[in-house]
Amino acid sequence: MKVIEVDEARCLALCEAETGERETVEIALVDAGPGDEVLVHAGTAIA
Amino acid sequence: VKYVDEFRDAELGRALAGEILSIVEPGRHYKVMEVCGGHTHSIYKYGLDDLLPANVELVHGPGCPVCVIPMGRVDDGIALAHQPGVIFTCFGDMMRVPGSDGSLLDAKAAGADIRMVYSPLDALRIAKSNPDRQVVFFAIGFETTAPSTALTLKRAKAEGIENFSCMCNHVTIVPPLRALLDSPDLRLDGFVGPGHVSTVVGARPFEFIPADYGKPIVVSGFEPLDILQGVHMILRQLAEGRCEVENQYKRVVPYDGNQRALEVMAEVFELRPHFEWRGLGFISHSGLKLSEAYADLDAERRWTVPGVRVADPKACQCGEVLKGVIKPFECKVFGSACTPERPIGTCMVSSEGACAAYYNFGRFAREREVV
């Protein structure tokens, strides 16, 4: 998924799938900023 | 799409299939296990086994998180869901897994408040929105999903959410692989290693496979070319007399894994002495429970669960399928009494289950088109 916006204080990001769906993703386990691609599993970016 | 289109190139796929054909020894039968249910799904979705020589057999492993949950744990979950005031949450696949007296979906139909969630964070949100109810999250999955549960439990503790708890069924991948390698039922030549689990644990934990058992393992991604290249790398090791851990999925998997994920898991979880796996029985140190620091968020400590071991239905051969001993279509009830709509066994429930993959992609018999 592509990171759209990051809420650093809460370690959350708004991410968009290739289908256009958006969801809030936990990003505490990765270094990710807007525009980055992240691998999301069960609502958490693991890579 | 970036990272997808380039790994679905049909020309490259045909070229890789040709390379594979050129390195296999005629007359030798190769058995390669893909550990992860995601691989099984991709193999049948894209018809990858049809691109392999007839003497290269893909055997499906125990890496589908839903498939390995034994019936007794489903019964325990249903017992929690029936507790007064409880909202029980779980992933969608889990709702259809049969227990000894029906599934979570049946329990929901009978009146229990059971809700499907996409992530543990969703379950925590439900807890925040329903402060007068107790919300239980039924956690399943390998090391891929465990960090998500761990982070949610950390968040619940930090925010003081006292009406949230977790029934932990997380499992680890290495002990069942060792159990399979120790099994006399199965002769394997190599492994397609689990890509997403390895994103968290890295490739290093699999070093015991070549070191102790003399078998190659290649951690691979999930696109068609990833899997074909993974199989090619295994066969090349065999052709060259090597056995090593190789990483085909380097664009995602660091050799030492995701350290932050491993740290949060180490803080929140500890190993159970043993855990029951469907079809594989009890395996030492293969399941996770909440550590003492998080014991107050452990649903199994808040309520008493039956904890009764339940044998699989006699007709169901999920155990043999999960061990790679039989193919799904060799099960007596495959496609007749057991279908995705009315599953008897777990392997027919999840899309990552071998039986569901065979059923959904029309693999009802061992008929292969020679390419």
Side-chain angles (χ1 to χ4, degrees):
Chain A
M1 300 185 88
K2 181 174 274 188
V3 176
I4 305 297
E5 197 178 325
V6 171
D7 177 347
E8 281 183 28
R10 295 196 297 159
C11 284
L12 297 174
L14 177 65
C15 295
E16 187 174 275
E18 41 191 84
T19 51
E21 289 162 22
R22 292 185 169 197
E23 67 174 274
T24 303
V25 169
E26 176 93 57
I27 53 163
L29 305 180
V30 296
D31 293 316
D36 289 342
E37 293 280 347
V38 288
L39 177 64
V40 178
H41 206 89
T44 297
I46 54 173
Chain B
V1 177
K2 194 179 175 188
Y3 302 129
V4 174
D5 292 342
E6 59 266 53
F7 292 93
R8 294 182 183 176
D9 186 304
E11 276 303 308
L12 283 175
R14 274 189 281 275
L16 257 175
E19 286 283 320
I20 288 170
L21 185 62
S22 73
I23 58 171
V24 295
E25 283 176 42
R28 177 175 175 182
H29 187 81
Y30 299 85
K31 258 187 167 178
V32 175
M33 175 175 275
E34 86 273 2
V35 173
C36 182
H39 285 141
T40 308
H41 179 84
S42 288
I43 287 164
Y44 292 100
K45 180 177 179 185
Y46 296 107
L48 300 181
D49 61 332
D50 287 336
L51 289 171
L52 298 176
N55 58 336
V56 177
E57 181 186 357
L58 295 175
V59 180
H60 323 303
C64 160
V66 170
C67 304
V68 299
I69 298 294
M71 292 179 88
R73 295 297 286 180
V74 178
D75 287 355
D76 290 347
I78 290 171
L80 284 182
H82 282 303
Q83 293 290 328
V86 162
I87 300 173
F88 190 87
T89 60
C90 63
F91 295 135
D93 283 357
M94 198 59 232
M95 293 183 77
R96 295 170 55 239
V97 174
S100 65
D101 188 25
S103 63
L104 285 158
L105 206 55
D106 295 325
K108 181 179 173 69
D113 191 345
I114 300 174
R115 304 185 192 183
M116 186 185 82
V117 291
Y118 290 101
S119 74
L121 209 52
D122 288 345
L124 187 62
R125 282 192 201 105
I126 292 172
K128 287 180 187 174
S129 309
N130 294 272
D132 55 336
R133 305 278 301 275
Q134 285 287 329
V135 175
V136 178
F137 175 62
F138 189 83
I140 63 160
F142 288 85
E143 288 95 332
T144 330
T145 324
S148 185
T149 304
L151 281 175
T152 302
L153 289 165
K154 272 194 80 159
R155 197 178 281 271
K157 200 169 185 62
E159 295 180 17
I161 314 292
E162 292 179 354
N163 65 324
F164 178 76
S165 61
C166 170
M167 179 179 167
C168 186
N169 301 279
H170 283 301
V171 287
T172 58
I173 195 68
V174 166
L177 289 183
R178 199 178 274 281
L180 282 174
L181 283 159
D182 287 334
S183 165
D185 297 346
L186 207 55
R187 183 198 62 80
L188 294 169
D189 294 293
F191 291 89
V192 176
H196 288 158
V197 164
S198 303
T199 302
V200 174
V201 302
R204 192 178 297 283
F206 303 113
E207 287 178 348
F208 77 97
I209 295 177
D212 298 348
Y213 296 91
K215 311 285 184 195
I217 177 166
V218 177
V219 173
S220 305
F222 295 86
E223 294 300 329
L225 293 188
D226 287 321
I227 297 171
L228 282 177
Q229 190 181 14
V231 172
H232 178 256
M233 290 165 76
I234 292 166
L235 296 172
R236 195 175 56 196
Q237 285 197 41
L238 292 169
E240 294 171 359
R242 293 183 291 120
C243 62
E244 299 166 12
V245 177
E246 288 186 306
N247 184 5
Q248 182 278 335
Y249 203 24
K250 283 181 182 165
R251 67 184 185 279
V252 172
V253 173
Y255 198 81
D256 286 310
N258 181 327
Q259 290 306 308
R260 282 190 228 169
L262 294 171
E263 281 164 19
V264 72
M265 283 171 62
E267 177 188 336
V268 174
F269 300 121
E270 59 187 53
L271 285 171
R272 295 175 187 266
H274 48 73
F275 190 77
E276 187 188 358
W277 292 60
R278 186 175 287 234
L280 303 176
F282 285 93
I283 302 177
S284 300
H285 301 118
S286 64
L288 301 176
K289 64 175 183 174
L290 271 57
S291 65
E292 280 305 313
Y294 287 82
D296 54 329
L297 297 176
D298 189 341
E300 290 178 83
R301 295 201 192 199
R302 282 191 192 182
W303 294 276
T304 303
V305 295
V308 176
R309 191 181 182 204
V310 181
D312 283 348
K314 282 189 179 165
C316 173
Q317 292 181 278
C318 276
E320 284 104 316
V321 171
L322 284 166
K323 286 190 284 191
V325 175
I326 66 167
K327 298 286 185 191
F329 57 75
E330 293 171 313
C331 173
K332 294 187 286 288
V333 292
F334 174 81
S336 52
C338 184
T339 63
E341 289 74 31
R342 298 190 70 81
I344 292 178
T346 48
C347 298
M348 192 58 98
V349 175
S350 167
S351 64
E352 292 191 15
C355 296
Y358 272 63
Y359 188 91
N360 291 330
F361 298 112
R363 300 306 175 107
F364 294 97
R366 179 78 180 168
E367 290 166 4
R368 291 176 57 168
E369 185 185 337
V370 177
V371 178

